[in-house]
Amino acid sequence: MRKDLVWLFAGILFFGLLYLLNWGVKAISTDLLVWIGAFLTLAILSFLYQDNAFYKFAEHLFVGVSAAYWMCMGFWNTLVPNLIAKLHPPIVKGVLPAIAEKPPEYWYIIPAALGIMFLMRLSPKAPWISRWALAFIVGTTTGLNLVRYLRSDFLGQIKSTLIPVIVVENGSLSVGGSFSNIVIVVGVLCGLIYFFFSKEHKGLFGVASRVGIYILMITFGASFGYTVMARISLLVGRMRFLLGDWMGLLQ
Amino acid sequence: MKAFSYSFTFYCLLGLILLATTDGLAQVESSDSLLSPLLPPSEVIAEDHPGDAGAAIIVRWKLSPDEDRGVTGYEIVRSTSPTGEFSSIGFAAAGSNRYVDANTEDSLTYYYKVLAIDVDKNVSESELSPPARSSPQWFNFHLLNLLIIGGLICGAVIYFIAHAKKGKKLFLRKIAGLEAVDEAIGRATEMGRPILFIPGILDMDDVQTIAAITILGRVAKTIAQYDTKLNVPTSRSIVMSTAMETVKEAYISAGRADAYSDDFVHYVTDEQFGYVAAVNGIMVRERPATCFYIGAFFAESLIMAETGNAIGAIQIAGTAMPAQLPFFVAACDYTLIGEELFAASAYLSGEPKQLGSLKGQDVGKIIAMSAIVIGALLETFFAISGSSFFGSLAELVHKLFSIVAS
């Protein structure tokens, strides 16, 4: 007998015993949707043991349903309001009455043409046409992101680091404030040196680069702990669903 | 004792009289203040919002003198005629003296009034603003510093690209994770197992996805030469199309067009965890020898990297998402941290455009480091000496790297 089937029977036996011994299972949910949710949660969690038929079922169901969901979302949230409603507003009178009153904006024919060019990938004779649309997307988004990153990551970061390394408060030296500022300034400078690719990291430059990577690793460590805590709260949420909403063991 | 009793009674009475009197006075003052009308905001000015594409007017006013007497906020009303009906367009909190009306038509003239409102819902209306009309501008002077710095970096990029195109060698330091790419592909070939490449879960509008696709091109070229199976599940349709084109080109340039299959790259779903579930399934069933996680990742990073680790695959990751880097560093064999990801594509391709671009970015880092050193020193001198000379210089450096909100 396959191991996963053994675990399945063990699970059924466990829940059956719980029910028979009446350990608070009186409050078990009678809502079919909660049962489906609990089954799918357990099916996905069963992957922690090994790949099995339940996981495969939940995985394929999730992928299929979500792909269809996003396709519908793409149609109703992007194609309808951003293209169809712009080119021929009366057509969306039933679903978007506010837009339906506006005059048509015919320059939206350009994105429509780009979209059709993109679909030319499906044509066996001229799939190369789709590259033009692709080039347009990559080019424009790169340009837009350049300004965005230059503004927030470059100028913003530099401005935040323009701080005194010796902090004087009420006429006397602030040791804590000075230490914090030194860590910030040295950390940013050493981090920049680590990501400098035009020079070999040797000598003093290499030392600064190593300090940079140490600072990065310390930051990653702190971030790791913080994120693990957030993940545990997700697990707690699922456990509350299983033990509370489904089994009624939690009040 | 009697004298004490009299004097005690006298002082108690005096105290009561004083209390009653001051309380009464306070009440009189309070009722006076309630009775006096709420004073309106003044000097309402409306003018075109500078440095924009039109359709916006800034309204400014001088706060109501009764700002401290329970003004809860200001209502901004507008009309297209000074004698016409005014309609409300928005509210500003108490203490605010400006409001941007971002819903105007450039062809129309607008008039504004600002209404102060207090806790008792008393309303006090300002004088009419002068007429204002929105208009588009060609140039936003608030972003002049961005243009200068961007121009310097872009100029450096163009210079180095031209330099590289002339055939001059551009030095780039070694990146540890990249040395392992060929080794990892070779291992998969020896083991006869496929290679899994995950290009992140964001679309082509993310620079990390663009870098991931560039690296995919180089990886696919080596895979084509080694005749190993490649599997690229994607979570975005445009990424799928781009990845298909890239892999196809890589196979053609490797002289293995016959070995290319459209099945190498396939779409799964846009849903983050649906995608993760599918990728995990692929991992445990196909058992790839090498997994690449290059691009933008979120909560799925650790789930995938842990599964890859469990199946014993060599794992090479690269992302610029700060929250996910710790997981990749912990679970993968090699991790390209932040900008190393973008440098990797240049390093691997060896193309003049990418190499020049990377060298140009290094010029940007020199600008940043110089500015930080100079700015921090000026701030320190100013903090120690209090000299206005250092103070004004420090302020100048601050202004150079500030984006002024208009």
Side-chain angles (χ1 to χ4, degrees):
Chain A
M1 190 182 279
R2 282 185 57 175
K3 270 187 183 175
D4 48 356
L5 287 177
V6 173
W7 279 100
L8 177 68
F9 286 130
I12 291 168
L13 196 67
F14 173 71
F15 289 119
L17 273 173
L18 272 182
Y19 187 76
L20 287 174
L21 294 172
N22 208 12
W23 285 345
V25 190
K26 268 183 180 172
I28 199 161
S29 174
T30 51
D31 188 341
L32 180 66
L33 293 176
V34 172
W35 274 85
I36 293 170
F39 168 72
L40 291 173
T41 302
L42 290 173
I44 289 287
L45 287 176
S46 71
F47 184 76
L48 292 170
Y49 168 60
Q50 68 172 35
D51 190 27
N52 59 70
F54 296 104
Y55 177 76
K56 276 181 195 164
F57 172 75
E59 173 202 327
H60 288 95
L61 185 73
F62 196 5
V63 169
V65 168
S66 62
Y69 172 77
W70 282 105
M71 199 176 86
C72 293
M73 288 286 283
F75 180 76
W76 288 108
N77 287 357
T78 309
L79 212 60
V80 170
N82 294 340
L83 184 67
I84 298 169
K86 301 283 183 187
L87 289 174
H88 189 61
I91 208 167
V92 295
K93 199 175 181 180
V95 284
L96 298 165
I99 298 176
E101 301 298 322
K102 291 185 175 176
E105 295 177 58
Y106 290 114
W107 64 271
Y108 273 84
I109 289 170
I110 299 167
L114 283 167
I116 292 164
M117 283 164 75
F118 209 81
L119 289 173
M120 289 303 284
R121 140 171 307 282
L122 301 170
S123 158
K125 287 186 179 174
W128 52 270
I129 292 176
S130 68
R131 288 185 177 191
W132 290 6
L134 204 58
F136 180 82
I137 292 168
V138 173
T140 48
T141 53
T142 306
L144 284 169
N145 280 329
L146 174 77
V147 176
R148 192 158 62 90
Y149 283 115
L150 205 59
R151 197 172 177 165
S152 60
D153 291 11
F154 192 79
L155 291 191
Q157 180 72 63
I158 292 173
K159 197 190 168 209
S160 304
T161 321
L162 298 177
I163 47 178
V165 287
I166 295 170
V167 179
V168 180
E169 278 177 359
N170 302 325
S172 58
L173 175 76
S174 164
V175 178
S178 302
F179 178 74
S180 297
N181 285 7
I182 287 169
V183 169
I184 292 170
V185 173
V186 171
V188 172
L189 285 174
C190 292
L192 279 169
I193 288 171
Y194 176 76
F195 290 113
F196 195 79
F197 299 100
S198 299
K199 186 172 163 54
E200 200 70 73
H201 288 178
K202 285 178 181 172
L204 189 63
F205 207 71
V207 172
S209 164
R210 271 197 298 283
V211 171
I213 194 71
Y214 291 153
I215 287 171
L216 281 172
M217 289 301 158
I218 292 166
T219 314
F220 291 162
S223 176
F224 192 101
Y226 178 77
T227 316
V228 165
M229 287 301 293
R231 299 293 161 82
I232 286 171
S233 72
L234 290 177
L235 180 67
V236 169
R238 276 293 87 188
M239 286 299 127
R240 284 186 71 85
F241 169 73
L242 287 176
L243 299 175
D245 295 0
W246 180 44
M247 296 191 70
L249 292 173
L250 301 176
Q251 293 302 317
Chain B
M1 188 65 193
K2 208 173 181 179
F4 171 76
S5 174
Y6 280 134
S7 62
F8 178 75
T9 314
F10 170 73
Y11 282 119
C12 282
L13 282 170
L14 186 68
L16 281 169
I17 290 162
L18 279 171
L19 269 172
T21 317
T22 49
D23 189 40
L25 283 171
Q27 278 180 15
V28 169
E29 272 177 21
S30 174
S31 60
D32 271 351
S33 67
L34 285 172
L35 288 170
S36 67
L38 180 68
L39 292 169
S42 52
E43 296 174 30
V44 178
I45 298 164
E47 56 193 9
D48 176 38
H49 189 286
D52 65 359
I57 289 174
I58 297 184
V59 185
R60 290 193 182 89
W61 60 89
K62 199 174 170 185
L63 296 178
S64 161
D66 292 334
E67 176 76 21
D68 299 331
R69 215 197 72 188
V71 169
T72 54
Y74 297 93
E75 184 178 5
I76 295 89
V77 293
R78 82 172 184 201
S79 172
T80 50
S81 159
T83 52
E85 193 180 330
F86 281 77
S87 56
S88 174
I89 54 161
F91 290 87
S96 306
N97 63 349
R98 101 194 251 285
Y99 179 84
V100 177
D101 178 9
N103 193 23
T104 61
E105 283 184 39
D106 292 349
S107 56
L108 296 176
T109 302
Y110 293 93
Y111 298 86
Y112 292 85
K113 284 180 188 174
V114 180
L115 281 61
I117 303 167
D118 70 7
V119 280
D120 298 323
K121 306 289 176 196
N122 294 315
V123 176
S124 175
E125 191 176 289
S126 73
E127 295 289 316
L128 197 66
S129 77
R133 184 179 278 209
S134 58
S135 62
Q137 285 81 43
W138 285 102
F139 196 87
N140 184 357
F141 284 95
H142 290 117
L143 299 177
L144 185 64
N145 55 349
L146 195 69
L147 178 75
I148 293 167
I149 293 167
L152 277 172
I153 296 171
C154 291
V157 168
I158 292 165
Y159 168 77
F160 281 111
I161 289 174
H163 204 67
K165 275 186 175 173
K166 281 178 190 166
K168 291 178 182 172
K169 201 180 172 188
L170 296 177
F171 172 79
L172 279 184
R173 75 167 170 85
K174 282 183 182 176
I175 300 166
L178 294 181
E179 303 294 312
V181 169
D182 288 344
E183 183 194 321
I185 297 169
R187 180 176 181 262
T189 311
E190 283 169 12
M191 294 174 80
R193 287 197 201 163
I195 288 166
L196 188 71
F197 192 101
I198 313 290
I201 63 160
L202 289 187
D203 221 324
M204 285 310 295
D205 60 350
D206 189 86
V207 69
Q208 295 177 71
T209 314
I210 295 171
I213 296 297
T214 313
I215 293 171
L216 172 65
R218 169 64 169 76
V219 168
K221 194 174 176 183
T222 313
I223 290 171
Q225 287 160 351
Y226 285 27
D227 204 15
T228 313
K229 197 189 163 199
L230 173 68
N231 191 351
V232 187
T234 65
S235 71
R236 305 283 164 159
S237 53
I238 298 176
V239 175
M240 183 195 74
S241 302
T242 320
M244 263 185 185
E245 285 294 332
T246 308
V247 173
K248 195 175 182 180
E249 265 194 21
Y251 270 72
I252 291 168
S253 67
R256 294 299 317 275
D258 56 308
Y260 171 77
S261 164
D262 274 345
D263 295 337
F264 288 164
V265 184
H266 56 98
Y267 171 77
V268 179
T269 172
D270 276 50
E271 170 61 38
Q272 181 187 14
F273 289 106
Y275 178 70
V276 179
V279 168
N280 278 357
I282 291 167
M283 280 185 185
V284 291
R285 281 160 224 151
E286 294 190 5
R287 304 188 76 79
T290 305
C291 298
F292 290 94
Y293 312 103
I294 313 278
F297 292 89
F298 294 89
E300 70 285 352
S301 64
L302 186 60
I303 305 172
M304 292 195 294
E306 273 300 315
T307 310
N309 197 34
I311 60 166
I314 282 192
Q315 304 199 95
I316 298 173
T319 187
M321 306 299 281
Q324 308 311 318
L325 274 166
F327 299 126
F328 281 142
V329 169
C332 294
D333 298 279
Y334 299 96
T335 305
L336 300 170
I337 301 167
E339 209 186 339
E340 283 182 333
L341 166 66
F342 309 118
S345 58
Y347 191 87
L348 287 171
S349 67
E351 285 177 16
K353 278 180 194 169
Q354 293 202 34
L355 288 173
S357 167
L358 194 61
K359 296 289 274 188
Q361 286 170 49
D362 276 357
V363 171
K365 283 168 216 155
I366 292 171
I367 293 172
M369 284 191 277
S370 310
I372 289 169
V373 170
I374 294 167
L377 282 176
L378 288 171
E379 287 283 355
T380 308
F381 291 146
F382 176 60
I384 295 167
S385 66
S387 155
S388 60
F389 173 70
F390 289 121
S392 53
L393 280 178
E395 200 182 324
L396 187 73
V397 178
H398 258 282
K399 273 186 184 167
L400 186 61
F401 294 97
S402 300
I403 301 290
V404 182
S406 52

